[in-house]
Amino acid sequence: MNRRENHSPQGEATRILIEFLEVAITAIVFLKGVYPSGAFERRRYLNMVVQRARHPQLRYYIHVAVSGLAPYLEQGMVERVAVVFFNSDNVPLEKFVFKLAMNQSYDSKVEPMDLESSLRSFLVKLSVSNSLTKDLPQDIRWEITGYFKSLPMGGTNKEAELWIPTDTELWQQPPLITPIRSMSSESLCLQLYLEHPSL
């Protein structure tokens, strides 16, 4: 999203959040070792070293999935964004969940430095959260899932039309939740937590 496209506080917060989610999702996929470490390269983001997918299709999938959420994030329709890891039977093994709330009534200028500083702390915490996760089998797959407060209607954004209802099986018991990081600002509230199936 171009900075000049939308000067509203929600537009600026959405732009910052989209950039952050792309980097954070890439960090999660790197952390879980889904692909060899050579599939990633080191880059700088928010004055810290992060991983970036080297393969164009992987980078494109993450970019399109996250940027496709932009119009819905801006309208406050997105409740959660999750990176879900599945076994070969399509049963979720682990979920990294970003629970978010955009303040629709916030009408002051968003201070990018303040918001980015808070989001940076999520990336720091993610980089050391491997001990909170479980080892996954070799034959896994993963996807980015958006949870909406209500079903979105087709819009003018072609990328937003790529979101389809999921047929993901749910766990039989409520999941075990491990908090990783949370933040609250006037324009955005965000939590990151890990879900595992109950034993």
Side-chain angles (χ1 to χ4, degrees):
M1 179 179 285
N2 190 328
R3 281 182 192 234
R4 293 180 216 135
E5 281 182 28
N6 195 336
H7 294 289
S8 73
Q10 292 80 14
E12 182 67 7
T14 299
R15 180 194 64 77
I16 293 167
L17 183 60
I18 293 292
E19 284 179 4
F20 164 75
L21 285 173
E22 282 189 46
V23 172
I25 289 170
T26 303
I28 290 167
V29 173
F30 176 79
L31 175 78
K32 293 308 297 175
V34 176
Y35 305 107
S37 60
F40 299 88
E41 59 190 1
R42 295 164 56 108
R43 294 290 170 135
R44 292 198 71 74
Y45 175 73
L46 302 179
N47 282 334
M48 66 181 294
V49 176
V50 296
Q51 298 296 326
R52 177 178 175 227
R54 293 177 71 190
H55 196 283
Q57 288 178 325
L58 176 57
R59 205 167 49 237
Y60 178 77
Y61 168 67
I62 294 170
H63 172 74
V64 168
V66 174
S67 60
L69 286 171
Y72 305 118
L73 284 168
E74 204 168 317
Q75 296 169 28
M77 293 177 64
V78 180
E79 188 174 82
R80 292 173 286 153
V81 177
V83 181
V84 186
F85 296 91
F86 300 90
N87 67 12
S88 58
D89 295 326
N90 205 33
V91 175
L93 299 173
E94 188 169 69
K95 295 180 187 179
F96 285 81
V97 181
F98 295 90
K99 184 176 181 180
L100 49 99
M102 301 278 292
N103 184 349
Q104 297 302 302
S105 61
Y106 185 71
D107 59 359
S108 298
K109 183 180 184 312
V110 172
E111 293 298 330
M113 294 297 284
D114 294 340
L115 189 53
E116 289 172 348
S117 175
S118 295
L119 294 174
R120 182 181 187 275
S121 65
F122 279 80
L123 296 173
V124 170
K125 192 73 171 180
L126 253 178
S127 69
V128 294
S129 64
N130 201 21
S131 63
L132 303 174
T133 67
K134 293 186 175 185
D135 290 333
L136 298 177
Q138 292 292 329
D139 59 344
I140 62 161
R141 70 174 191 83
W142 66 279
E143 69 182 23
I144 301 168
T145 304
Y147 297 88
F148 293 82
K149 293 176 183 173
S150 61
L151 288 176
M153 298 301 177
T156 58
N157 185 341
K158 184 173 175 119
E159 291 173 342
E161 294 172 5
L162 296 175
W163 287 93
I164 57 172
T166 184
D167 58 354
T168 300
E169 292 182 31
L170 299 176
W171 291 316
Q172 298 296 323
Q173 301 292 323
L176 297 173
I177 295 177
T178 306
I180 296 176
R181 185 81 175 106
S182 65
M183 63 149 286
S184 183
S185 72
E186 291 185 43
S187 60
L188 173 68
C189 294
L190 182 65
Q191 293 179 330
L192 172 60
Y193 56 89
L194 193 57
E195 287 186 2
H196 290 111
S198 297
L199 300 176

